[in-house]
Amino acid sequence: MTIPVRQGRRAERRRRFDLRSTAMFFLLLAIIWCVLAFLARTAAVMVERRPVWAGVLAVLGLAGALRFRSGWRRFSAGRYARRAARALEEAADEASEHLGATATEEPAARAGTGAPAEPTAETVILEEPTAPLLAADYAELDPDGFEYAIAELCARGGCRDVEVVGGAGDLGADVVAIAPDGRRVVIQCKQYGDGNKVGSQDVQRFGGTCFTIHEADVAAVVTTSDFTAPALEYARQCGIVCLNGDELEAWRRGTGGSPWQPADPGP
């Protein structure tokens, strides 16, 4: 028995002619030709009317095409950003080194005096003693002037290296000096009126810095008024010398003791 074999279809079938696709192709081709013709005519008109501009545009277009083709891959925005960042970092390092060197010059220059001073405090050195003011003039002075007056009394009493260091950040020290016997004297000046006495809190604040921070051998509080009893008791316990208005006048006249050499209280 013979089994009939059915012929299969041909693997490839001829493509049938499509009128619509062909028409679309020729239409697109016509549009392209029209655009190219328009561009060519525009270029011809430009060359005729403005040949310089046409040449410039042609050169720029050619250069841009060559640049786009050969040099686009070489461009890297990240690379240029890294270069700029490195340049800024180097400039910042140089500036910080310069500022650091400038900041260390002043403490190094002041280290030779052997006297600690706060960077924000004003330091004025008295080279020669001048005539002290009258006691009545102390109340008329401003706080800075009163500190200078006390410094003049120290200089007149034979102290050396007298400095006015009062100001912002002085930590309680207004006048520092070296006594004739070599001890370091630290004085706080309190220019108060007669009705305003130096209290215990004022003396306690000074007592917390005069010995530990300013390394005083002699710590004293000098005022134009007087001290409260608790303030005098605290000063006695801590070894702080207190001079009120009368004792300040006696120091000025030379009839009383100085902070580094108090008067003998007697029997």
Side-chain angles (χ1 to χ4, degrees):
M1 180 176 180
T2 304
I3 300 176
V5 178
R6 185 178 181 179
Q7 286 186 332
R9 296 181 179 178
R10 302 175 66 176
E12 294 183 2
R13 181 181 297 178
R14 287 186 178 182
R15 188 175 182 180
R16 292 186 300 176
F17 176 76
D18 190 350
L19 179 61
R20 182 178 179 181
S21 299
T22 303
M24 291 296 295
F25 171 76
F26 282 106
L27 179 61
L28 181 61
L29 185 61
I31 294 174
I32 294 175
W33 278 108
C34 291
V35 172
L36 291 177
F38 176 77
L39 293 177
R41 183 175 180 179
T42 303
V45 173
M46 181 176 291
V47 171
E48 182 180 356
R49 295 182 179 180
R50 299 179 180 178
V52 177
W53 282 102
V56 171
L57 293 177
V59 172
L60 291 178
L62 180 61
L66 294 176
R67 178 64 177 175
F68 179 81
R69 182 176 180 182
S70 62
W72 175 257
R73 295 181 180 179
R74 297 180 183 179
F75 176 77
S76 176
R79 180 175 58 187
Y80 289 103
R82 287 191 295 270
R83 289 182 181 178
R86 283 196 297 267
L88 291 176
E89 185 177 358
E90 292 175 0
D93 292 339
E94 293 179 0
S96 61
E97 291 176 0
H98 177 71
L99 291 177
T102 305
T104 55
E105 287 178 358
E106 183 178 355
R110 294 169 62 182
T113 61
E118 293 296 321
T120 56
E122 179 184 4
T123 301
V124 179
I125 301 176
L126 299 180
E127 297 181 354
E128 296 181 359
T130 58
L133 297 174
L134 297 176
D137 296 332
Y138 290 151
E140 303 297 331
L141 298 174
D142 58 12
D144 293 337
F146 181 61
E147 294 172 1
Y148 281 110
I150 299 301
E152 290 173 356
L153 288 177
C154 294
R156 190 190 67 165
C159 292
R160 65 180 187 276
D161 298 336
V162 181
E163 301 178 37
V164 178
V165 296
D170 58 12
L171 297 178
D174 296 322
V175 178
V176 296
I178 303 299
D181 57 5
R183 291 180 298 170
R184 178 173 171 79
V185 181
V186 179
I187 301 176
Q188 184 180 71
C189 303
K190 292 293 186 183
Q191 188 189 26
Y192 287 171
D194 295 336
N196 186 14
K197 295 183 178 181
V198 179
S200 176
Q201 294 293 331
D202 296 328
V203 181
Q204 288 179 23
R205 282 192 292 269
F206 178 62
T209 59
C210 60
F211 297 110
T212 58
I213 302 299
H214 301 292
E215 301 178 355
D217 298 315
V218 178
V221 179
V222 179
T223 182
T224 52
S225 60
D226 205 346
F227 297 86
T228 63
L232 292 175
E233 178 62 22
Y234 176 83
R236 184 189 65 80
Q237 295 176 358
C238 297
I240 299 176
V241 180
C242 293
L243 271 70
N244 59 21
D246 295 336
E247 293 166 335
L248 173 59
E249 173 62 13
W251 178 23
R252 186 194 69 82
R253 292 177 177 271
T255 59
S258 60
W260 59 90
Q261 191 178 5
D264 188 1

